[in-house]
């Protein structure tokens, strides 16, 4: 019993934790069962149930479990406090309203406890739907969008004008303050045409990153939301792949973590066995897996973007399952994570 | 692995990359631009060289341009300033590879 008390008292002294106790901290049911290994304080809390004459209830209440889990996240919060985390947001997590609000809440929570999250987003489905409204058929070549002049205009309008601002206002509603940017703002991203320009049109590679503008935004406690549209030296707009943009921004900021939200559980050792999730792997390991064709086609660009980022000094790059509620919190604040973490 | 000392310097450098660019801090740099690098200098006995080279490659290889090169340079002498020792005695460091080897030998 004494053991359980000592693990929960440190909670009271920590100011950042007080804000977590507001009603908007949502202990989503799926968050609790994700803790697979019973850590010492949970075991200690469970031992309370065997003590007869005590003022504590006989059954472990959700509140008790909740604060035990909160107090376990302390070492992670301490480790990452003040560190920059770049999150690339896309896929299913963007389409479902419930998942979207869980990601937004996670970002605001991380910002509240002192981490510095940066959100980079894509917006493929929105772009497609607006192109169709204009009577223009979306085309893809090797997984990248064929971007002619009209498509480029639509991409810029949809990504920067609609998707970006709706994310900013969602974050604002959740209690954070967001600042929406695109690659053109403060020359954050400078693009150059990809080698494949003849087939792809205005699809850009990242030539240069100037993260200067992000520092004051983060220092003031705001969350930058970045749309991956950039311009070249002459002002010509380019559509940059959001994964690539996220990776290069992470490298430029010396970020601690790069996190890519995807629609799959992560990288599987055996494609047909969903339980064979690779939790942690290093650069040479993942390159070996790619060579052994264990990594699916669509995942290869994401893996390459992660490796490129790691080679430039980002501490870890993770590919996580965006379909799981609170996947961000699982990845950052627990040992289990929510997907595959690639280390440098 | 028994390497007990290393000198590390922050330097600037570039190398011919056959036309491709190196990425550093999110930006691309062409062949003639200096990029911040780290230089490591390790002095070991000849018999330890291959093991050290393999370890460096194993840990530092990312597969991207900019991984760097290892130059093997012969050292004509090693002198410990504090005691004046020279040669193999000066190169030897406590807890180093030589100590590790003799420890395993004595266990057998």
């Amino acid at each position: 019993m004494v053991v359980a008390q000592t693990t929960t008292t440190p909670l009271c002294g920590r100011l950042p934790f007080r804000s977590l106790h507001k009603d908007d901290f949502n202990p989503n049911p799926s968050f609790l069962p994700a803790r697979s290994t019973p850590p010492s304080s949970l075991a200690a809390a469970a031992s309370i149930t065997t003590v007869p004459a005590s003022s504590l209830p006989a059954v472990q209440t959700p509140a008790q479990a909740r604060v035990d889990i909160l107090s376990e996240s302390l070492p992670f919060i301490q480790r990452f406090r003040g560190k920059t985390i770049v999150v690339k947001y896309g896929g299913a997590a963007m389409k479902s309203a419930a998942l979207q609000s869980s990601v937004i809440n996670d970002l605001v929570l991380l910002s509240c406890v002192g981490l510095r999250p940066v959100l980079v987003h894509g917006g493929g489905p929105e772009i497609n739907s607006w192109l169709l409204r204009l009577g223009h058929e979306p085309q893809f070549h090797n997984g990248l969008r064929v971007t002619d002049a009209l498509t480029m205009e639509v991409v810029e309008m949809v990504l920067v004008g609609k998707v970006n601002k709706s994310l900013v206002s969602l974050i604002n509603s959740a209690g954070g303050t967001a600042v929406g940017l695109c690659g053109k703002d403060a020359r954050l991203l400078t693009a150059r045409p990809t080698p494949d320009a003849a087939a792809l049109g205005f699809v850009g590679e990242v030539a240069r990153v100037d993260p200067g503008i992000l520092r004051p935004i983060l220092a003031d406690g705001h969350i930058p939301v970045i749309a991956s549209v950039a311009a070249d030296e002459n002002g010509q707009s380019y559509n940059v792949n959001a994964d690539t943009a996220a990776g290069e921004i992470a490298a430029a900021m010396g970020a601690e973590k790069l996190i890519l939200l995807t629609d799959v559980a992560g990288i599987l050792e055996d494609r047909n066995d969903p339980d064979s999730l690779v939790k942690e792997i290093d650069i040479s390991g993942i390159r070996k897996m790619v060579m052994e064709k264990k990594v699916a086609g669509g995942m290869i660009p994401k893996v390459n973007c992660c490796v490129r980022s790691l080679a430039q000094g980002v501490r870890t790059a993770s590919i996580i399952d965006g379909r799981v509620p609170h996947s961000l919190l699982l990845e950052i604040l627990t040992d289990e994570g929510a997907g595959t973490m690639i280390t440098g | 692995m028994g390497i007990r000392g290393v000198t590390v310097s922050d330097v600037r450098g570039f190398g011919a990359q056959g036309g491709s660019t190196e990425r550093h801090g999110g930006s691309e740099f062409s062949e003639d631009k200096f990029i911040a690098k780290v230089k490591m200098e390790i002095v070991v006995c000849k018999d330890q060289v291959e093991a050290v080279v393999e370890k460096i490659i194993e840990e530092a290889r990312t597969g991207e341009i900019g991984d760097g090169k290892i130059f093997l340079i012969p050292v004509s002498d090693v002198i410990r300033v504090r005691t004046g020792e020279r040669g193999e005695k000066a190169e030897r460091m406590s807890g180093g590879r030589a100590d590790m080897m003799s420890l395993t030998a004595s266990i057998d």
Side-chain angles (χ1 to χ4, degrees), chain A residues 264-307:
Chain A
V264 292
I267 295 176
L268 300 169
E269 178 67 38
D270 173 6
R271 209 173 298 204
N272 304 315
D273 177 14
D275 289 328
S276 68
L277 177 68
V278 178
K279 293 231 169 206
E280 196 174 321
I281 191 168
D282 64 5
I283 295 183
S284 45
I286 196 74
R287 284 207 190 272
K288 215 163 69 131
M289 277 185 78
V290 173
M291 269 204 307
E292 291 170 355
K293 307 259 192 261
K294 286 186 180 170
V295 179
M299 193 54 81
I300 294 186
K302 291 192 192 282
V303 166
N304 286 340
C305 144
C306 286
V307 172

Side-chain angles (χ1 to χ4, degrees), chain B residues 41-84:
Chain B
E41 293 170 77
I42 308 174
V43 177
V44 292
C45 288
K46 253 201 253 200
D47 48 345
Q48 302 172 12
V49 168
E50 280 315 312
V52 175
V53 167
E54 264 176 48
K55 192 69 178 168
I56 294 176
I57 292 181
E58 186 190 318
E59 295 298 324
R61 168 182 283 162
T62 66
E64 301 286 321
I65 291 176
D67 274 352
K69 287 191 177 170
I70 301 176
F71 301 122
L72 292 178
I73 307 176
V75 172
S76 42
D77 205 353
V78 180
I79 303 139
R80 181 171 277 125
V81 174
R82 183 172 57 90
T83 58

Side-chain angles (χ1 to χ4, degrees), chain A residues 43 117 120 123 131 153 162 213 215 258 283 315 319 327 329:
Chain A
V120 179
L131 280 172
E153 276 194 70
K162 182 166 194 296
I213 192 67
R215 293 187 209 283
L258 169 68
I283 295 183
R315 206 55 89 73
I319 297 177
S327 48
L329 291 182

Side-chain angles (χ1 to χ4, degrees), chain A residues 192 206-207 209 248 252 287 312, chain B residues 23-28 62-64:
Chain A
R192 63 159 172 82
V206 177
V209 181
E248 301 309 326
R287 284 207 190 272
Q312 294 178 76
Chain B
R23 296 204 81 98
H24 181 79
S27 305
E28 291 180 321
T62 66
E64 301 286 321

Side-chain angles (χ1 to χ4, degrees), chain B residues 10-37:
Chain B
D10 290 312
V11 298
R12 294 179 306 147
F14 67 83
Q17 292 142 204
S20 356
T21 50
E22 179 175 347
R23 296 204 81 98
H24 181 79
S27 305
E28 291 180 321
F29 291 89
S30 57
E31 288 180 4
D32 52 350
K33 298 281 185 299
F34 284 104
I35 300 178
K37 300 271 177 200

